[in-house]
Structure formats: structure tokens, C-alpha cells
Amino acid sequence: MVEQPLPGANIEGMRRLTERFTVSIMADEPLETVEDAFAFARIGAADAFSLKVPKYGGFINTRKVAAVAQSAGISLFAGSMMESGVGSAASAQLSLRASAAVSR
């Protein structure tokens, strides 16, 4: 997996890399909102999304980003922003819930 190989504003370049290479391309920095997730999913600009609970402003928005990814067949990666143990536990819980939703 290659994490964010291009600057965040280059969503079209991300789409081209995702289309061209067999190695997974993960979007990270440019995903800050649910709308960003829709934009990447709409054109297939990533194979995976990095989920970071603090970055999206909490569980609700992070679950929405995860739902967009899952609906588009995009994999999820539990990212970290060097949060505390409580923050890491929250990210782990969200990841478990997201993967349980996929397996249903």
C-alpha cells in the first residue's frame, strides 16, 4: 500500500494512479470531511481511506466516512494522530464496528 503519494489537491492524479497500478493507493491528508470522502469515492481516487477519529471531528463523522468507503468498495485503514490511549481505544472500537458491518 502507498499512502497519499500525491499532494491532496491532486485528486485526478490519485485517480490515475489508482487505475493504473495494482498496489493499493490510500487517501489520507485530503480526506477531512464526508464530502471529501464522496469526492474520492465518486471518481475512484483511492483503494483505501485512512480513518482518524480526531481528524473527522468524532465518531459520527468518521462512521459516515467509513460508510462512504464501504459503499464504494474502498478499504479502511485505522490511522493514528498520536492520540492518547483513550483515543487509540476509540479508533480500535470504530475499526471493529466498521469491519463487522462489512462482514454482514
Side-chain angles (χ1 to χ4, degrees), residues 3-79:
E3 179 182 340
Q4 198 58 51
L6 298 174
N10 193 351
I11 188 171
E12 181 58 29
M14 290 283 287
R15 182 196 61 75
R16 287 192 309 270
L17 288 177
T18 301
E19 253 180 25
R20 181 171 182 177
F21 295 103
T22 57
V23 65
S24 294
I25 305 296
M26 181 169 61
D28 186 1
E29 286 81 9
L31 297 178
E32 295 181 351
T33 66
V34 177
E35 291 76 18
D36 294 336
F38 272 118
F40 269 73
R42 188 177 308 115
I43 67 166
D47 297 304
F49 285 177
S50 178
L51 293 181
K52 297 177 180 174
V53 175
K55 183 177 179 178
Y56 301 119
F59 274 121
I60 293 171
N61 286 338
T62 306
R63 288 190 72 177
K64 289 178 182 178
V65 170
V68 168
Q70 290 167 332
S71 296
I74 296 171
S75 299
L76 300 173
F77 177 84

Side-chain angles (χ1 to χ4, degrees), residues 74-90:
I74 296 171
S75 299
L76 300 173
F77 177 84
S80 174
M81 295 179 72
M82 304 300 286
E83 52 270 61
S84 67
V86 172
S88 294

